[in-house]
Amino acid sequence: MTNYFEIIHKLQIEHNASAAELLALLQCNDAKILEALRQAAQAQAQQTFGNNVYLRGLIEFSNFCKNDCLYCGIRRSNRKASRYRLTPQEILKCCATGYALGLRTFVLQGGEDFAYDDKRLAEVVAEIKRRYPDCAVTLSAGERKPEIYRQWFEAGADRYLLRHETANPEHYAKLHPAELKLATRLECLRSLKEIGYQVGTGFMVGSPYQTVENLVEDLLFIKGFNPHMVGTGPFIPHKDTPFGEEDAGSGQLTLKLISILRLLLPKANLPATTALNTLLPNGHQQGILAGANVIMPNLSPQNVRDKYTLYDNKKHSGSEAAEGVAFLRKLLAEIGYENPISRGDYPDVIR
Ligand code: SAH
C-alpha cells in the first residue's frame, strides 16, 4: 500500500520524489492527505519567504502574435481578436502607476509581435531601468534567437517567463501547430538561463489530451531544469479557438501541483495565477495557502484589458487589477500575509 505521508515527508526533507511517487500523489483524493500536503507546502513557503507575498505588475504590451497555439485566444488565426500594441510611452505610464502603488517588478508580456523586435523592446527595458533602478523587469515575449535574449538582458531585463506548456513532445504537438517544437522551446529556456536571466517556466493544468503521466513528466522536467519561477494555471477554453468546446482544467488539481512544486523547488517564485483566480473563488488566497508566494496584478491600461483574452472570462478587476492592490493587500492580511515593497528576487540572486 502506498504510504502517502512518507512521500510528503520525503518531499519535505529531500525536495524530490520518484515518478511513481509523484503519480501516486497526483492520483490521491484523500482529503486528509491533501491537507497534509498543503500544510507542508505552506510551511516550506513560509520558511523561505516568511509571510511575504511579492506582487508583480503585469503589462500586456501587445496581443499581436505570429503563432497559432491551439489553446490561446490571441493566436494569429483568431480573426475576431481585436489587436492592439502599446507604445513605449504607454508602457512607461503603466510603470509610473505601478511604482506609485508600491510595485517593484514589471512584467512585460505579449504575443510574438515582431513590431516589438529586439531593438524597440530593448529601448523600453533600458528606459524603465533608468527611471526605476530599484525595480526588476521581467519579459515574457515568447521564443526568440539567443542574441535577442542577450540584447534584452544587456538592456537590463532581469527575468524571463517562457512556459514549456508540456514536457511531453507528442502532447506538445497536439497543442501547437507543426512549426512549433518542444525542442526549440527547451533550447530557448536553456539559453535564457545561460545568459543569466532568472528564468520561469510552467504549464497549464488540464490542457486538452493531458494525462496524469504528462503531469509527472512536467514535474520531473521542472525539478531537473531547476527554474527560478514556475507558473501554473488551469487551462480555460477560449470560444474562438479549436479548443473552444473543451472542458476547463481543475482548480483543485492546480492547487495540488502548486504544493508539490513548492516542495520540489523550495526557493522558487510561484505565482497564484490569474487563470487560477478566474476559475476558483478566492483563487489568490487559496494559491498562497497552497505554497505560492507571488501574485501578478494587471497594470495594463483599462481600454486594452478586454483584448488580451487568452481564455474566456479572464479576470482583470478586484484583486486582479493594479488599482485593486489595496484590496489585494487586505485579502493577504486576512490570511496572515503581507506585501513588502520589494523586487522579490529569487533568494540569493544579486544583480
Ligand atoms: N507569448 C508569450 C506569452 C504567452 S501568454 C509566450 O509564448 O510565452 C502566457 C501563458 O498563458 C502561456 O504560456 C499559456 O500557458 C497561458 N495560456 C494561454 N492560453 C491559455 C488558456 N486558454 N488557458 C489557460 N492558460 C492559457
Side-chain angles (χ1 to χ4, degrees):
M1 220 185 64
T2 314
N3 188 335
Y4 296 102
F5 292 107
E6 251 170 44
I7 303 176
I8 295 171
H9 190 68
K10 176 172 168 186
L11 278 165
Q12 278 179 295
I13 305 297
E14 296 175 27
H15 307 299
N16 219 336
S18 67
E21 290 164 337
L22 292 170
L23 185 67
L25 211 47
L26 287 174
Q27 287 174 329
C28 170
N29 283 317
D30 182 316
K32 268 209 204 90
I33 291 160
L34 297 186
E35 178 56 16
L37 174 65
R38 188 200 67 73
Q39 283 182 15
Q42 188 187 10
Q44 179 58 64
Q46 289 185 334
Q47 196 183 322
T48 310
F49 304 101
N51 288 337
N52 295 326
V53 170
Y54 301 122
L55 304 188
R56 325 293 197 196
L58 182 62
I59 304 170
E60 298 157 332
F61 68 90
S62 166
N63 73 350
F64 282 90
C65 193
K66 74 166 181 63
N67 280 340
D68 221 14
C69 306
L70 275 73
Y71 44 83
C72 184
I74 64 168
R75 65 200 300 266
R76 67 161 186 264
S77 297
N78 183 8
R79 299 276 148 73
K80 291 192 184 153
S82 158
R83 305 286 169 173
Y84 74 91
R85 172 181 294 135
L86 300 183
T87 63
Q89 286 318 311
E90 287 172 313
I91 297 174
L92 288 162
K93 211 171 141 204
C94 296
C95 296
T97 307
Y99 194 87
L101 291 166
L103 304 180
R104 294 295 179 268
T105 291
F106 302 116
V107 180
L108 273 51
Q109 185 178 88
E112 291 193 25
D113 175 0
F114 282 98
Y116 268 105
D117 58 2
D118 38 345
K119 198 155 159 269
R120 194 148 181 235
L121 201 52
E123 283 165 7
V124 176
V125 170
E127 185 58 23
I128 297 174
K129 296 293 284 195
R130 196 184 65 74
R131 293 190 189 184
Y132 308 105
D134 54 339
C135 289
V137 172
T138 305
L139 295 177
S140 175
E143 298 179 359
R144 310 279 173 139
K145 296 205 179 75
E147 52 271 30
I148 295 182
Y149 288 148
R150 193 173 293 280
Q151 263 186 48
W152 291 342
F153 186 75
E154 279 161 10
D158 303 274
R159 312 182 189 139
Y160 203 98
L161 303 176
L162 183 68
R163 291 188 178 177
H164 67 282
E165 313 295 0
T166 169
N168 179 289
E170 286 86 45
H171 185 217
Y172 197 92
K174 291 182 180 158
L175 301 180
H176 299 94
E179 69 266 20
L180 291 179
K181 296 270 186 272
L182 178 60
T184 316
R185 184 140 303 206
L186 300 184
E187 226 6 85
C188 288
L189 283 166
R190 274 188 283 272
S191 87
L192 287 162
K193 224 181 185 189
E194 192 184 298
I195 291 166
Y197 283 97
Q198 293 172 55
V199 180
T201 192
F203 57 94
M204 288 175 287
V205 179
S207 58
Y209 309 107
Q210 184 180 67
T211 63
V212 67
E213 287 81 10
N214 292 153
L215 289 172
V216 171
E217 291 175 85
D218 287 322
L219 292 171
L220 292 175
F221 161 71
I222 288 170
K223 178 65 191 171
F225 181 64
N226 194 23
H228 305 87
M229 311 174 272
V230 185
T232 45
F235 161 76
I236 303 175
H238 184 293
K239 59 182 176 1
D240 302 318
T241 64
F243 293 155
E245 300 295 318
E246 300 286 332
D247 291 333
S250 151
Q252 293 305 323
L253 181 56
T254 306
L255 292 172
K256 194 200 254 188
L257 283 156
I258 289 174
S259 295
I260 297 175
L261 285 164
R262 167 55 64 219
L263 295 172
L264 285 172
L265 303 179
K267 292 182 176 180
N269 281 313
L270 302 181
T273 57
T274 304
L276 180 67
N277 193 45
T278 297
L279 202 72
L280 283 187
N282 306 319
H284 280 152
Q285 288 179 329
Q286 293 204 63
I288 299 303
L289 294 171
N293 71 309
V294 166
I295 295 175
M296 299 165 67
N298 195 314
L299 256 186
S300 306
Q302 288 287 355
N303 63 323
V304 306
R305 281 190 202 171
D306 270 344
K307 298 183 179 161
Y308 197 79
T309 323
L310 307 177
Y311 45 83
D312 292 333
N313 307 314
K314 180 167 158 270
K315 264 202 191 165
H316 48 65
S317 60
S319 64
E320 213 49 81
E323 325 76 71
V325 163
F327 174 60
L328 178 54
R329 291 192 172 116
K330 215 175 98 217
L331 287 183
L332 292 174
E334 268 175 33
I335 55 169
Y337 286 81
E338 58 187 6
N339 161 239
I341 297 194
S342 157
R343 286 171 41 129
D345 284 293
Y346 186 83
D348 319 329
V349 167
I350 303 162
R351 191 179 180 220

